[in-house]
Amino acid sequence: MLEIINLHAGVQGNEILDGVNLKVNVGEVHAIMGPNGSGKSTLAQVLAGRESFNVTEGQVLYDGKDLLAMSPEDRARAGVFMAFQYPVEIPGVSNTYFLKAGLNAIRKQRGLEELDAMEFLKLVKEKAKLVEMEEGLLNRPVNHGFSGGEKKRNEIFQMAVLEPRLAILDETDSGLDIDALRIVADGINKLRGKHNAIILVTHYQRLLNYVVPDFVHVLVDGRIVKSGGKELALKLEEKGYDWVREPVELNT
Amino acid sequence: MTQDKRSWYVLSFEHFEKSLNGLSSGAIHAVRKSAIARFAELGFPTTHDEEWKFTDVTPLKGVEFVPVLSYNSDGLTVKDIEKFLPKNFVCNRLVCVNGHYSEELSSVLSQTQRVKMGSLAEAMRTDGELVSAHLGQHARFDENAFTALNTAFVNDGVFVSIPDRTIVEDPIYLLFISTALDTKFVSQPRNLIVLGKNSQASIVEAYASLSDNIYFTNSVTEVVMGENAIIEHEKVQEESARAFHVSRTQVHQGRDSNFVSNSFAFGGSLVRNDIVATMDGEGSEATLNGLYLANGSQHIDNHTTMDHAKPRCNSHELYKGILGGKSRGVFNGKIFVRKDAQKTDAKQTNKNLLLSDHASIDTKPQLEIFANDVKCTHGATIGQLDEEQLFYLRARGIGAEDARTMLIYAFASDVIDRVHVEALRDRLHNVMHAKLGEGTE
């Protein structure tokens, strides 16, 4: 489904990704771990279409199509979703209003009927339960006045409503207390399925106790230096990132 | 005599005097005469005048606008003006055509023996004492040429008088329509609104046009509030694209009174609004909010004054501007705290969204504080749409244009949602939708 080939990217001439290669198949959950500043978030944002990063080399194929040539909205409509590490507050735009606009744009792309207000409300209530999101938050302006945990939960709630084929969760676990982490992880597990794929970008192994990945990759200095199964995360937790600083060949 | 047509208006005044045929009351005509004399001395302001530094009225000065001296319905029917009224709106409708009150287009629900609303010309005859006691006493013309010009031609407009302890439930909707006359004309409605103690009303002033011609509206509204009176005042300015619009709203507040204004400026080529709230009674409160939306080569200038004359008064202010094309906005927010006005609490905010590289805004807080125990805060921002917010919306599948519209709309809704008159609020939302649909480049 997703194929990243020798991806180089950076910001203002400063190279952050230094040749990333990764292949994700439908039904798989991949975790990308790495120390701070290794380029994890850059990778997530480049995949979502953030324009402040320049891709200088390489290719990303999504269902065989050139993902990097697509606008952020076209990527979303094609089923790519990124849960933001720092969800932005948008005063004056209600959570449900904006999500309905997004969902209907995506449905239109998929050749589905747009949902009317009643159908949408029903869907939203159902999905809110999934992440134990208070209904009161639904009609509030997007992330406005939300606590850190509520913002992260709102990201997973949006993922539940939009039902992406490829979800990239950018440090969705950071800053969450253990109860909130459990709720968010439960939500992710319920959304995990045969017809989609998830990339978990995380600094800590903690989330992976709850959402067990099929593959773990370690990103250091803009390159994936080690890949393995879920046990790799435990080893990293035990030995720290210095252990993998030595680059090794990637087997996929 | 001069290049700025002041002699044109002096000549027009002589013509106006003759048309009155001695019908005018003596006291008011004396005021008119001193106003035209003052206007002749002042002439129109230039950009050397501090109050007009950013607004050049040269295009307005160059035209010989003919004052409209009497009422003419110009064939208008209620049907013609329906589009300027909110839908399903139960209100007291007071309509002026080219500055003159129209009995046939108006519809008053709340009239009683004590609650009066109708034409100012009529009130000059029937309530001469009350009118004389207030007219020109608050909106002084000594230093303002446009107010002097309006006062010189004082003849008609809307008069509202609400006695003590009276709550008028249905909103009072003042609609000022300009029609397509053969000449380039100036309409100069003069409005007087007097509320007694413990009274309450919500008043809308709407300006609209049935013409694409060049015309000039020069309006003055005086609002007098007794002790503990409450007013919500909305101004909706939707003049035509080539119109000139100059308006002044002068509010005099008694003890513990509460005045709220929400002012919306959408139309006109050259627009200047002056609004002054004088809190002349202890414990009174004033709120001035505004939204200005300009495109193309529009110029919209809002000058506001919070005049804290007595102790323990609060003022709140939020003005927001959305400027596209080559438009220009001006915001000048004066907070004047007089020597006696201890324990003043004043807060002012001006936020601007520039949607094109060629749009501009001059924003200026102006604090003049003569008391020593006061709290005054002010802040101004000028910016473009937030890239982070745009990306967030787009990352959820919303197209770039729709995302922009959504954010601009949210910026504007902040002010629109402060309007309590529901039907009007809905109408304002519709106007915004239509405006944003036209594009903002």
Side-chain angles (χ1 to χ4, degrees):
Chain A
M1 176 162 64
L2 183 77
E3 198 171 355
I4 303 173
I5 305 155
N6 189 31
L7 185 65
H8 291 252
V11 60
Q12 289 167 347
N14 194 358
E15 192 163 81
I16 302 169
L17 297 182
D18 183 25
V20 173
N21 292 287
L22 180 69
K23 206 169 167 181
V24 177
N25 295 309
V26 71
E28 295 175 350
V29 174
H30 290 244
I32 296 179
M33 303 186 69
N36 286 327
S38 60
K40 302 186 301 288
S41 277
T42 301
L43 177 62
Q45 301 204 45
V46 166
L47 294 177
R50 171 89 72 179
E51 280 150 358
S52 47
F53 294 101
N54 294 322
V55 173
T56 49
E57 210 182 321
Q59 225 186 342
V60 179
L61 298 175
Y62 174 70
D63 287 338
K65 280 180 292 196
D66 180 3
L67 185 75
L68 300 177
M70 295 161 77
S71 67
E73 56 269 35
D74 283 342
R75 297 180 200 199
R77 290 168 191 173
V80 177
F81 175 92
M82 178 180 74
F84 285 67
Q85 183 182 4
Y86 303 111
V88 65
E89 299 193 3
I90 313 182
V93 175
S94 98
N95 224 357
T96 46
Y97 175 75
F98 119 91
L99 197 53
K100 181 164 173 264
L103 177 65
N104 279 335
I106 291 168
R107 288 180 67 91
K108 205 170 155 192
Q109 178 77 19
R110 292 179 185 168
L112 299 169
E113 290 263 313
E114 293 191 8
L115 293 188
D116 64 27
M118 291 301 287
E119 294 164 326
F120 180 73
L121 192 68
K122 197 169 157 254
L123 175 76
V124 151
K125 285 190 167 177
E126 187 186 304
K127 301 293 186 182
K129 279 193 199 128
L130 207 70
V131 287
E132 298 180 30
M133 182 131 140
E134 278 177 54
E135 278 187 32
L137 294 179
L138 299 176
N139 289 315
R140 290 249 298 272
V142 180
N143 297 319
H144 189 62
F146 285 29
S147 69
E150 285 169 342
K151 283 181 185 171
K152 295 294 175 89
R153 222 180 284 187
N154 195 22
E155 295 295 294
I156 303 304
F157 163 68
Q158 291 174 32
M159 174 180 162
V161 172
L162 300 178
E163 297 182 325
R165 293 190 63 235
L166 174 66
I168 304 145
L169 311 184
D170 187 6
E171 305 217 11
T172 299
D173 54 330
S174 58
L176 293 183
D177 63 36
I178 194 69
D179 293 332
L181 181 72
R182 254 187 225 127
I183 292 166
V184 164
D186 278 354
I188 298 169
N189 281 330
K190 284 173 193 154
L191 297 170
R192 183 176 184 170
K194 275 190 299 206
H195 304 292
N196 59 30
I198 298 174
I199 298 174
L200 301 167
V201 173
T202 181
H203 183 72
Y204 306 103
Q205 188 269 338
R206 201 175 57 147
L207 174 68
L208 307 183
N209 289 337
Y210 299 96
V211 183
V212 180
D214 301 306
F215 301 94
V216 175
H217 311 275
V218 186
L219 191 71
V220 177
D221 297 334
R223 308 186 80 160
I224 289 179
V225 295
K226 204 166 185 64
S227 295
K230 61 183 183 221
E231 64 287 345
L232 180 56
L234 294 167
K235 209 162 176 183
L236 278 172
E237 180 81 352
E238 186 191 325
K239 300 197 170 184
Y241 284 111
D242 285 341
W243 168 66
V244 290
R245 290 258 177 209
E246 286 287 298
V248 291
E249 279 306 301
L250 173 71
N251 310 307
T252 44
Chain B
M1 178 174 99
T2 58
Q3 295 168 332
D4 71 7
K5 306 289 180 198
R6 74 182 85 166
S7 57
W8 162 257
Y9 291 104
V10 172
L11 277 173
S12 300
F13 182 77
E14 286 165 15
H15 184 63
F16 169 55
E17 267 192 310
K18 280 184 201 131
S19 79
L20 290 169
N21 285 327
L23 278 173
S24 69
S25 81
I28 283 165
H29 198 63
V31 174
R32 289 185 188 123
K33 281 165 108 165
S34 46
I36 193 70
R38 187 60 186 149
F39 172 76
E41 284 165 22
L42 287 169
F44 286 110
T46 68
T47 50
H48 298 296
D49 188 333
E50 188 61 31
E51 285 285 296
W52 294 83
K53 199 172 164 186
F54 302 111
T55 296
D56 183 0
V57 298
T58 303
L60 184 155
K61 285 195 287 200
V63 184
E64 292 181 344
F65 288 107
V66 178
V68 179
L69 299 181
S70 61
Y71 172 67
N72 183 336
S73 74
D74 205 14
L76 286 190
T77 62
V78 173
K79 214 170 161 31
D80 297 318
I81 60 168
E82 260 169 12
K83 63 175 171 177
F84 301 115
L85 297 163
K87 285 197 182 78
N88 308 319
F89 188 35
V90 179
C91 66
N92 293 286
R93 186 177 75 229
L94 306 172
V95 182
C96 284
V97 179
N98 302 328
H100 291 267
Y101 186 77
S102 168
E103 196 76 51
E104 52 193 316
L105 298 176
S106 299
S107 157
V108 176
L109 309 170
S110 309
Q111 189 105 339
T112 65
Q113 271 198 318
R114 296 166 61 244
V115 176
K116 288 173 185 167
M117 46 185 99
S119 128
L120 180 74
E122 173 74 17
M124 285 184 199
R125 287 188 289 272
T126 57
D127 291 272
E129 217 167 289
L130 182 62
V131 171
S132 293
H134 293 294
L135 195 80
Q137 298 304 308
H138 309 287
R140 311 284 308 178
F141 57 75
D142 349 10
E143 295 305 326
N144 185 319
F146 289 100
T147 302
L149 191 61
N150 176 289
T151 308
F153 287 88
V154 154
N155 196 13
D156 208 353
V158 170
F159 172 72
V160 175
S161 168
I162 300 171
D164 294 352
R165 296 178 303 283
T166 308
I167 293 170
V168 176
E169 301 273 358
D170 297 320
I172 303 169
Y173 200 88
L174 281 51
L175 178 61
F176 300 91
I177 297 273
S178 293
T179 63
L181 299 182
D182 294 335
T183 51
K184 288 175 182 163
F185 66 93
V186 52
S187 78
Q188 305 199 78
R190 179 71 173 229
N191 310 307
L192 179 61
I193 296 161
V194 183
L195 257 78
K197 290 179 194 168
N198 300 311
S199 292
Q200 186 174 342
S202 93
I203 295 161
V204 182
E205 256 184 72
Y207 293 82
S209 171
L210 291 162
S211 140
D212 295 324
N213 298 348
I214 294 173
Y215 64 88
F216 171 26
T217 301
N218 179 31
S219 75
V220 174
T221 300
E222 284 171 290
V223 179
V224 188
M225 299 173 74
E227 198 177 314
N228 209 30
I230 299 172
I231 290 183
E232 178 168 327
H233 178 266
E234 336 282 1
K235 183 180 172 213
V236 184
Q237 186 272 101
E238 293 179 87
E239 302 272 22
S240 76
R242 293 205 290 164
F244 296 97
H245 179 94
V246 177
S247 92
R248 175 158 175 197
T249 308
Q250 187 82 31
V251 186
H252 186 267
Q253 297 186 241
R255 190 184 174 104
D256 295 323
S257 64
N258 191 340
F259 178 75
V260 175
S261 153
N262 297 303
S263 172
F264 299 88
F266 297 127
S269 65
L270 176 60
V271 175
R272 165 68 177 246
N273 297 317
D274 278 275
I275 179 159
V276 183
T278 300
M279 286 157 271
D280 198 19
E282 209 172 321
S284 53
E285 185 163 348
T287 304
L288 304 181
N289 301 320
L291 175 68
Y292 42 102
L293 181 68
N295 251 313
S297 56
Q298 276 182 290
H299 180 108
I300 298 182
D301 176 349
N302 282 294
H303 266 61
T304 68
T305 302
M306 293 289 196
D307 179 0
H308 288 262
K310 292 280 152 61
R312 274 177 278 278
C313 296
N314 296 334
S315 66
H316 322 268
E317 181 163 18
L318 173 67
Y319 264 72
K320 287 184 135 184
I322 301 169
L323 303 155
K326 288 186 287 186
S327 70
R328 193 162 175 202
V330 179
F331 174 78
N332 190 99
K334 184 170 170 178
I335 299 175
F336 185 42
V337 182
R338 300 194 202 205
K339 208 165 130 245
D340 291 340
Q342 299 295 2
K343 307 279 181 199
T344 284
D345 192 346
K347 190 167 191 288
Q348 178 189 97
T349 309
N350 175 231
K351 292 184 177 178
N352 298 282
L353 205 48
L354 297 184
L355 299 177
S356 96
D357 293 340
H358 306 290
S360 67
I361 172 80
D362 290 288
T363 174
K364 187 177 136 204
Q366 190 186 347
L367 272 58
E368 295 178 18
I369 299 171
F370 299 95
N372 51 25
D373 183 12
V374 303
K375 206 161 98 188
C376 287
T377 59
H378 62 89
T381 60
I382 301 168
Q384 279 96 41
L385 290 172
D386 187 309
E387 288 296 331
E388 292 284 312
Q389 295 178 341
L390 278 174
F391 178 64
Y392 192 86
L393 296 174
R394 293 175 71 190
R396 297 297 178 249
I398 296 165
E401 251 331 287
D402 289 345
R404 276 171 60 87
T405 303
M406 217 177 259
L407 293 181
I408 297 167
Y409 196 84
F411 183 84
S413 296
D414 187 14
V415 181
I416 295 175
D417 289 337
R418 287 162 202 256
V419 172
H420 285 110
V421 180
E422 194 183 341
L424 181 66
R425 192 171 64 231
D426 291 347
R427 184 181 148 76
L428 288 165
H429 276 296
N430 291 338
V431 170
M432 262 317 281
H433 269 302
K435 288 267 173 198
L436 292 180
E438 285 166 16
T440 42
E441 284 303 327

